Amino acid sequence: MAKNTAPVETPVYLFLGFLESGKTKFIQETLEDERFDTGESTLLLVMEEGEEEYDESRFKVQNVHISYLNGQDELTEANLASLQEMYGATRVLVEYNGMWLLKDFFEAMPEGWMINQLMSFFDARTTLNFNANMRQLVFDKIENAQLVVFNRYSDEMDKMALHKLVRGISRRTDIVYERVTGKADFDNIEDPLPFDVNADVIVIEDKDYAYFYRDLTENLEDYIGKTVHFKGIVATDARLPEGNIVIGRHVMTCCEDDIAFSGLACVLPVKMPLKTRDWLEITAKIELKKHYVYKGKGPVLAVSEVKRCLPIEQALAVFY
């Protein structure tokens, strides 16, 4: 019988952030914690070198192998797989380069590597300035993070601005503000949606479509069976069944480069001569059904009321 050579799942702990944001310090402290010592061979991939260096003499975790990637050309599936095989590593920690996009790492992950934890670190003193000048890189570090840590936080700083920065990208990410003393404050700021999810009819104002679409896709179960009312742009396709369209808005999540049409499958109650880029105002019940648009199940708008409307003044939906 042939030997099964399929790779086992390898947990990956991914730490994001710009230089001097606290990644190295956190990983060092993690490896000094004997509770993290499971006896596994651990590969630590360092993809940028800051002023702080690892002190292996203080590691309580045994069998740690540190490998430095000297450039993005070394971020390849073949190289990562080779390093794992060289050390027989069964788990991987990654100190990721702050100037590289996360998709490049995802594309280079060898078969069997699974993200177990993704944390992002920021220097609270410089975060807003980085966001103003390198929005795409800041967005990239928050979008998929389970936890965002703002280091070097003090009471003089604008906590709400940092909170809004994260919440404008993700409603699920946990936020911690860590002071220079080491004390950590967990973010407990209430962040209600700009519309009432429990209303008989959820009215989505023109400026709130981006929030509605994101929350719907992240918390679909909360919307099934609910009725919504909003204005949107029509997209048609000859492959759609008769009476079916897609309705939505163009949404900018990060920057102009990522503007995309974010629409939902929609079944109209009457036949209408529509073309792409027409505007409609609809009232519809959200149902979970199979639909061509999703290549499977997804939210389908069963429309009860529909009428043509003029384009709104601010047609691009953004997170304000």
Side-chain angles (χ1 to χ4, degrees):
M1 181 180 292
K3 184 179 179 181
N4 182 8
T5 58
V8 297
E9 288 188 359
T10 302
V12 178
Y13 300 82
L14 192 53
F15 304 94
L16 311 179
F18 298 108
L19 271 173
E20 312 309 322
S21 62
K23 300 190 301 291
T24 304
K25 178 175 180 289
F26 184 87
I27 296 172
Q28 174 76 36
E29 292 173 350
T30 298
L31 295 174
E32 290 177 14
D33 188 343
E34 59 185 14
R35 293 172 298 179
F36 198 65
D37 187 12
T38 60
E40 296 178 274
S41 175
T42 302
L43 173 61
L44 171 56
L45 294 169
V46 182
M47 301 188 183
E48 70 177 358
E49 294 186 66
E51 293 183 5
E52 192 164 347
E53 297 182 354
Y54 289 102
D55 183 355
E56 297 182 59
S57 67
R58 295 170 56 187
F59 288 177
K60 292 292 192 296
V61 176
Q62 303 299 310
N63 206 14
V64 176
H65 310 278
I66 303 178
S67 183
Y68 293 86
L69 270 64
N70 298 313
Q72 197 163 2
D73 58 323
E74 296 184 14
L75 183 62
T76 65
E77 181 177 355
N79 188 38
L80 299 186
S82 176
L83 289 170
Q84 180 179 17
E85 183 178 1
M86 181 188 304
Y87 297 113
T90 53
R91 70 175 173 183
V92 178
L93 277 64
V94 179
E95 181 178 349
Y96 199 60
N97 191 304
M99 302 307 291
W100 300 351
L101 291 175
L102 192 52
K103 70 176 181 62
D104 297 323
F105 179 76
F106 289 156
E107 291 172 357
M109 285 173 58
E111 184 179 354
W113 284 28
M114 306 290 290
I115 301 297
N116 191 67
Q117 191 171 43
L118 198 160
M119 301 174 62
S120 290
F121 297 82
F122 293 91
D123 185 332
R125 301 169 302 180
T126 59
T127 301
L128 298 179
N129 185 53
F130 271 112
N131 187 55
N133 294 284
M134 294 188 291
R135 170 67 176 172
Q136 185 178 13
L137 288 171
V138 172
F139 178 91
D140 189 60
K141 288 164 180 56
I142 296 175
E143 183 181 19
N144 296 294
Q146 296 158 308
L147 176 68
V148 167
V149 178
F150 290 110
N151 289 308
R152 306 177 182 92
Y153 174 79
S154 65
D155 289 331
E156 293 74 31
M157 296 177 184
D158 188 351
K159 179 183 285 189
M160 183 58 76
L162 297 173
H163 169 88
K164 286 183 176 180
L165 167 61
V166 176
R167 287 292 171 258
I169 300 171
S170 170
R171 289 179 60 83
R172 291 184 170 183
T173 302
D174 292 324
I175 308 171
V176 168
Y177 308 92
E178 186 172 298
R179 302 169 187 273
V180 291
T181 60
K183 180 183 177 183
D185 300 338
F186 286 86
D187 186 287
N188 57 4
I189 298 173
E190 290 192 15
D191 201 32
L193 290 164
F195 45 83
D196 185 0
V197 176
N198 296 312
D200 292 338
V201 177
I202 305 171
V203 178
I204 310 301
E205 300 293 342
D206 296 340
K207 62 184 176 59
D208 297 332
Y209 182 83
Y211 289 95
F212 162 66
Y213 185 83
R214 183 182 66 184
D215 199 57
L216 172 66
T217 53
E218 290 182 352
N219 302 291
L220 180 57
E221 65 281 358
D222 294 342
Y223 288 86
I224 300 304
K226 301 289 182 67
T227 300
V228 293
H229 180 92
F230 65 91
K231 296 174 185 174
I233 303 170
V234 170
T236 61
D237 190 302
R239 292 168 292 183
L240 291 174
E242 186 175 356
N244 284 243
I245 60 168
V246 176
I247 188 168
R249 298 269 299 280
H250 290 92
V251 175
M252 182 173 73
T253 338
C254 161
C255 48
E256 289 186 2
D257 289 341
D258 80 346
I259 295 174
F261 182 71
S262 300
L264 301 166
C266 181
V267 181
L268 300 173
V270 294
K271 186 175 180 180
M272 298 178 68
L274 296 169
K275 59 183 184 297
T276 295
R277 288 187 286 278
D278 284 345
W279 278 79
L280 293 179
E281 183 172 356
I282 67 167
T283 301
K285 184 177 180 180
I286 302 175
E287 301 175 343
L288 183 61
K289 288 184 173 182
K290 284 187 177 181
H291 197 280
Y292 172 82
V293 168
Y294 307 118
K295 310 301 182 185
K297 283 189 175 182
V300 176
L301 301 177
V303 178
S304 56
E305 298 178 21
V306 56
K307 64 180 180 180
R308 293 180 180 272
C309 65
L310 295 173
I312 63 173
E313 184 174 347
Q314 179 58 47
L316 180 63
V318 298
F319 295 96
Y320 53 87

